[in-house]
Amino acid sequence: MPELPEVETIARALREGGHTGPPIVGRTIRAADLLWARTLADPLPDEFIRRLPGQRIESVGRRAKYLCMALNQDTLLLHLRMSGDVRVEAQELARQPHDRLILEFENGLRLAFNDARKFGRVWLTADPQTVLGGLGPEPLDEGFTAEELYARLQNHHRRLKPLLLDQTFLAGLGNIYTDEALHTARLHPLRMADSLTLDEAGALWGAIRAVLNEGIRRNGASIDWVYRGGEFQNTFRVYQRTGQACPQCGTPVERLVVGQRGTHICPRCQALPEK
DNA sequence: ACGAGCGCCTGTCGGC
DNA sequence: TGCCGACAGGCGCTCG
């Protein structure tokens, strides 16, 4: 499920209450139950189970695709990868298939981390920078300008799509929003980053921010059986619309594979210039 | 520096 | 109906 807008939606729901359940800020963790050991990236299970109880959730936020929970001593980081999701609910309720980690709170609620494909990861660390330190800029930050994007693009002789998916280049885009942003900016995913003009980089900058903001405004995208509640999937321009009409010009959307990822383009709006 | 291939996992869908 | 391959919102690793 989770790219930047979906994780942002979840962070807000955990903070203020929402589709995930009641808010969790202010809750104190009483116990942790790790149901799939490999969910835990760091530390080892014994230490994780020992260090968590008694810690209070001071705030919930997001950095890139990570959910960040500031505790009174440590920081708890969750990465949902492909199929992760969280619920906040009463401890008496039956656990769900694919629940991987349960945190029990002092007030009878619990936080359940559910992840069918087991790719999701959790960190408990005194210094979140050890996990988040390598990430690129946040595309929605006020300080992230079109000029900065242009300068960074100039530094890479690399195809646009894999570069935009590289979290050390720019943090938060995934397969959906990358395809949507490239179509909005009328850029072919195989264009070389250092071939973009300043105007093209500016268009890409605006497109990235537009699709991410629209995704957040619509509470993210809900595809398949994971993560209900988002509405962004109803406004996809090209993503998973192979054969359907481009909203801009009516040409059938094509699917190709770029960097082993399914990629959707309008061959007319996103033409690759002659070499 | 970059890209291809693969591993990690489970579930769904379309074709035969 | 049942089986089988393709595919899925991510990312880390090796190898050339």
Side-chain angles (χ1 to χ4, degrees):
Chain A
M1 151 188 52
E3 301 181 36
L4 188 156
E6 290 74 33
V7 180
E8 178 65 26
T9 300
I10 291 169
R12 290 179 182 182
L14 291 174
R15 200 159 56 226
E16 300 152 22
H19 76 281
T20 53
I24 62 169
V25 175
R27 300 280 62 79
T28 297
I29 297 164
R30 194 166 57 186
D33 196 357
L34 182 61
L35 305 168
W36 180 254
R38 298 189 59 175
T39 294
L40 194 53
D42 197 58
L44 293 171
D46 282 355
E47 187 184 341
F48 182 77
I49 300 294
R50 181 160 32 86
R51 240 162 82 183
L52 266 180
Q55 295 213 48
R56 181 177 182 272
I57 299 174
E58 306 286 356
S59 65
V60 180
R62 176 195 62 76
R63 169 74 170 106
K65 304 175 192 172
Y66 291 80
L67 273 175
C68 308
M69 303 181 204
L71 312 179
N72 54 321
Q73 291 179 36
D74 292 311
T75 300
L76 185 67
L77 300 170
L78 262 69
H79 196 304
L80 279 43
R81 293 280 179 95
M82 291 287 269
S83 58
D85 201 2
V86 294
R87 313 184 309 273
V88 180
E89 62 193 13
Q91 286 167 25
E92 302 81 58
L93 292 177
R95 290 184 179 179
Q96 297 293 310
H98 314 309
D99 280 350
R100 308 301 179 198
L101 172 67
I102 305 280
L103 302 182
E104 293 185 354
F105 301 134
E106 88 292 352
N107 68 344
L109 293 178
R110 72 177 171 218
L111 176 71
F113 174 57
N114 186 282
D115 183 19
R117 291 179 71 179
K118 299 178 177 174
F119 291 164
R121 290 293 178 267
V122 173
W123 295 256
L124 180 68
T125 175
D127 178 13
Q129 280 308 108
T130 59
V131 180
L132 308 176
L135 290 168
E138 281 288 323
L140 295 181
D141 263 6
E142 285 190 24
F144 178 67
T145 62
E147 291 71 25
E148 182 185 348
L149 178 62
Y150 176 68
R152 294 175 70 90
L153 289 167
Q154 290 296 304
N155 287 331
H156 295 275
H157 189 64
R158 201 170 160 188
R159 291 164 171 78
L160 276 181
K161 172 139 181 181
L163 183 61
L164 292 174
L165 288 173
D166 183 338
Q167 302 298 296
T168 69
F169 178 78
L170 188 63
L173 287 177
N175 211 31
I176 294 178
Y177 293 90
T178 299
D179 280 5
E180 295 294 291
L182 287 171
H183 179 268
T184 302
R186 304 177 64 87
L187 290 167
H188 195 285
L190 293 179
R191 277 287 297 279
M192 289 309 236
D194 55 4
S195 80
L196 264 63
T197 65
L198 183 56
D199 280 354
E200 287 174 325
L204 181 57
W205 175 84
I208 289 169
R209 292 167 62 109
V211 297
L212 291 176
N213 278 320
E214 180 68 4
I216 292 172
R217 200 176 72 75
R218 294 182 177 268
N219 298 315
S222 314
I223 307 178
D224 301 335
W225 74 105
V226 193
Y227 183 61
R228 324 261 173 207
E231 297 292 336
F232 185 70
Q233 69 279 6
N234 299 323
T235 61
F236 285 167
R237 305 160 62 98
V238 287
Y239 185 76
Q240 286 190 350
R241 292 191 66 248
T242 307
Q244 298 178 53
C246 165
Q248 203 65 38
C249 73
T251 304
V253 170
E254 288 181 4
R255 179 184 186 278
L256 45 154
V257 176
V258 179
Q260 286 106 274
R261 307 298 301 274
T263 298
H264 310 80
I265 65 162
C266 168
R268 184 167 165 195
C269 293
Q270 298 169 267
L272 199 55
E274 306 291 327
K275 285 188 276 204

